[in-house]
Amino acid sequence: MSPVNEEQRVTSSTAAAASADVGPPAHGSDFLQLDAGDMPTGGKADWLARRLRQAMADGRLAVGSRLPPTRVLAAELRVSRGVVTEAYRRLTEDGHVEGRRRGGTVVVAVPPAPPRPPSGRGPSRGIVPVGRHGADRTVPRALFTGEPGSDVFDELRAARARIDLTPGQPDLSAFPRAAWLRAERAVLAELSTETLGYGDPRGAPRLRSAVAGWLARSRGIRIEPDEVLIVAGTAQALTLLHPVLRADGITSVAVEDPGSLGTRQHLQNGALATPPVPVDADGLRVDALRATGAPAVLITPAHQFPTGAVTSGERRRELLHWAADGGLILEDDYDAEHRYDRPPVPALRSQLADRLCYMGSVSKLLAPALRTGWMVPPPRYREALINAKRFTDLGNAVLPQLVLARLMESGQLERHLRLLRGRHTRRRDAMINAITEHLPGAVVHGAAAGLHLIVTYAPEVPDTELAAAALARGVKCQPLSWHRQLPGRPGLVLGYAATSPGVITEGVAALGQALRELA
């Protein structure tokens, strides 16, 4: 054999050996600086999961790294194998690692690094230190003072924190990447050249048909595909509605109170007044709606934001009578698919068509980044809204529409939803248990469905102060008062869908400590 051939043979053998060893070698507890002496008597799995997350966040365990085998790590730490298995399970549920059989347990996503104090000798401009006991975190100066501005959610997202309990966040680590890639490959394989041109401003016919089927199965809405308008989420749906409503003489849209601050800001940005209407256990009070004189109302009847109330049958009938007298209902069905302890509630649109504009999206089901949603407007607004969409952007990007349509047609979206329901139930239960332990006397509302709950408490501590104190301890949440126009009890709006049970417990414990100190 010639030297060249011999070199090729050796190189091939080396490459084959390397390919057989999937990923970098697994590291042991010495590399991860895990000291069994630091391990608490109780909560060993929590301790180990936190240390591993820290190793991922600071770069010691990068994406692609393999964790030690459970048997090896258990022996090194002198704990039962079940402790290590449970810690790995929690990291898997977070979406940070995944098991690859012979390839071991591999890091696939890293958590955000814990917040660091700003550089320099003094506080940075526009931020102020908050908290006691040496807390070195910082909070934007105006975030929790005064009326929340139009950029308040951007500021809150940008604020550094180790635990994020803000509402409205789906579990992005659960995004079905493999299913999406399969669907995208299939779509590209069968895509015609003509499909790559400008699309229908109403949306791809295939997606409009798939959405019609999805709404029939999941929300009880019977419509034709031509009644569906594909939009870039509910935010764009509201923006398209602004001029259409004003052209129809509507300058005021009543809103639920408490109700979504973001939705209220969108309406106000369109020069529409937003008179508040109180919400109770049965939903929006229609008698109070009539008293406002507003010709239109925006509601979340299947899972009211933020209280979680479900509009009762009697209130639904009252709303239908109000609409029959000339009122217009804007139905925001933002997270109705996520339910746990109650049967499905049909959309109000299933009972009313001519006086109702229905809006939904995949932001809470898949990911906000897809910017894909739908409207089912009343017939008298359909053409005006199509024109508004046409002159806004000529329609949504076609390729993601076709991929989403394929997921809906194949049943993959339903399978994904079933997975999420189980995961969300465990996380919600962890939050309720933590509230019971660390916030005794607090009351939980709206836990039967959705991605968040609210908690109200007895001490007369402004919820903005509590939210600021929580952020000083590295925990992000939203004060309930942000979502009120009328006076009401202080509280917090807490999201649980995007956070693992162990981290949720840690975050709620920090909230309890902050409340005790402020009280």
Side-chain angles (χ1 to χ4, degrees):
M1 180 177 292
S2 68
V4 173
N5 288 339
E6 177 64 19
E7 184 178 283
Q8 289 174 339
R9 185 181 67 81
V10 172
T11 303
S12 297
S13 299
T14 304
S19 64
D21 184 15
V22 181
H27 301 297
S29 60
D30 54 342
F31 175 80
L32 299 175
Q33 300 173 19
L34 297 175
D35 184 354
D38 294 337
M39 186 177 292
T41 304
K44 294 179 179 179
D46 277 340
W47 174 87
L48 179 56
R50 283 198 303 271
R51 290 301 180 91
L52 292 172
R53 286 192 197 97
Q54 182 180 358
M56 295 176 200
D58 64 24
R60 283 176 289 148
L61 283 176
V63 172
S65 300
R66 278 194 292 167
L67 298 185
T70 55
R71 184 178 286 106
V72 171
L73 190 55
E76 291 182 350
L77 295 177
R78 299 179 183 178
V79 297
S80 71
R81 191 179 179 189
V83 169
V84 181
T85 301
E86 173 63 15
Y88 283 16
R89 185 192 68 78
R90 295 180 186 186
L91 295 173
T92 301
E93 189 175 73
D94 291 349
H96 296 145
V97 303
E98 67 179 28
R100 293 182 178 174
R101 297 184 181 178
R102 294 181 63 186
T105 303
V106 181
V107 178
V108 295
V110 297
R116 297 178 181 178
S119 59
R121 296 183 178 178
S124 300
R125 182 180 180 183
I127 56 178
V128 59
V130 178
R132 289 187 274 178
H133 304 301
D136 62 357
R137 300 171 186 90
T138 55
V139 180
R141 186 182 300 277
L143 186 55
F144 294 112
T145 59
E147 287 296 316
S150 60
D151 61 347
V152 68
F153 296 116
D154 298 327
E155 288 190 20
L156 186 58
R157 277 191 291 268
R160 294 169 297 178
R162 58 191 173 85
I163 299 174
D164 191 347
L165 300 181
T166 51
Q169 297 189 96
D171 184 3
L172 299 180
S173 69
F175 183 86
R177 297 171 187 246
W180 185 274
L181 282 172
R182 286 194 301 270
E184 191 166 54
R185 290 191 191 101
V187 165
L188 287 171
E190 63 191 24
L191 195 66
S192 67
T193 303
E194 292 76 15
T195 309
L196 293 172
Y198 290 105
D200 189 328
R202 298 174 297 173
R206 184 173 176 180
L207 180 57
R208 286 189 280 122
S209 179
V211 167
W214 173 264
L215 294 179
R217 295 191 301 274
S218 65
R219 307 299 300 123
I221 300 174
R222 306 290 179 178
I223 51 173
E224 296 298 322
D226 281 349
E227 297 178 69
V228 177
L229 175 62
I230 302 300
V231 293
T234 302
Q236 187 183 51
L238 291 173
T239 300
L240 297 177
L241 275 166
H242 295 161
V244 175
L245 294 180
R246 290 196 304 270
D248 196 31
I250 295 175
T251 59
S252 176
V253 177
V255 295
E256 299 164 322
D257 195 279
S260 168
L261 168 62
T263 297
R264 190 166 81 240
Q265 289 178 332
H266 273 286
L267 292 171
Q268 292 170 348
N269 187 58
L272 295 168
T274 57
V277 180
V279 171
D280 60 22
D282 290 322
L284 179 127
R285 285 181 42 195
V286 182
D287 59 332
L289 170 62
R290 290 184 181 277
T292 67
V297 63
L298 192 148
I299 58 173
T300 51
H303 181 242
Q304 200 275 332
F305 184 90
T307 69
V310 178
T311 302
S312 67
E314 178 61 30
R315 291 286 170 83
R316 283 175 174 248
R317 287 188 288 273
E318 292 177 19
L319 275 167
L320 296 180
H321 288 315
W322 175 83
D325 292 338
L328 173 69
I329 298 173
L330 310 180
E331 180 177 13
D332 182 0
D333 211 21
Y334 71 103
D335 72 351
E337 300 93 350
H338 301 285
R339 54 180 176 77
Y340 318 116
D341 300 332
R342 61 168 171 77
V345 178
L348 198 59
R349 176 59 175 73
S350 64
Q351 302 172 275
L352 183 68
D354 291 345
R355 304 295 306 175
L356 189 144
C357 182
Y358 177 88
M359 299 172 288
S361 79
V362 296
S363 292
K364 305 297 185 290
L365 184 56
L366 287 174
L370 294 178
R371 306 312 307 137
T372 303
W374 44 80
M375 300 176 70
V376 184
R380 63 195 178 111
Y381 290 155
R382 191 171 301 140
E383 288 304 316
L385 287 167
I386 292 171
N387 274 333
K389 177 65 174 172
R390 176 183 292 113
F391 293 121
T392 296
D393 56 18
L394 296 179
N396 283 31
V398 174
L399 184 57
Q401 291 186 65
L402 298 178
V403 176
L404 177 58
R406 191 174 186 91
L407 292 179
M408 287 180 165
E409 295 162 354
S410 66
Q412 183 62 46
L413 203 57
E414 275 99 342
R415 288 191 288 274
H416 179 65
L417 178 58
R418 287 195 294 272
L419 179 148
L420 290 180
R421 281 176 177 161
R423 180 176 293 191
H424 292 167
T425 299
R426 292 190 294 274
R427 295 179 176 188
R428 179 209 58 180
D429 292 348
M431 179 168 279
I432 293 174
N433 291 337
I435 290 170
T436 302
E437 178 180 356
H438 298 289
L439 289 167
V443 180
V444 172
H445 310 261
L451 308 179
H452 75 275
L453 52 79
I454 64 173
V455 56
T456 54
Y457 51 88
E460 291 302 316
V461 175
D463 51 22
T464 49
E465 288 188 18
L466 180 54
L471 187 53
R473 287 165 173 76
V475 180
K476 275 198 279 192
C477 59
Q478 291 181 9
L480 179 58
S481 60
W482 273 8
H483 303 283
R484 290 189 188 279
Q485 297 184 78
L486 302 172
R489 289 188 66 185
L492 298 175
V493 189
L494 304 175
Y496 52 78
T499 310
S500 67
V503 177
I504 286 172
T505 300
E506 184 181 350
V508 174
L511 293 177
Q513 181 184 9
L515 182 58
R516 286 190 296 274
E517 291 186 3
L518 290 172

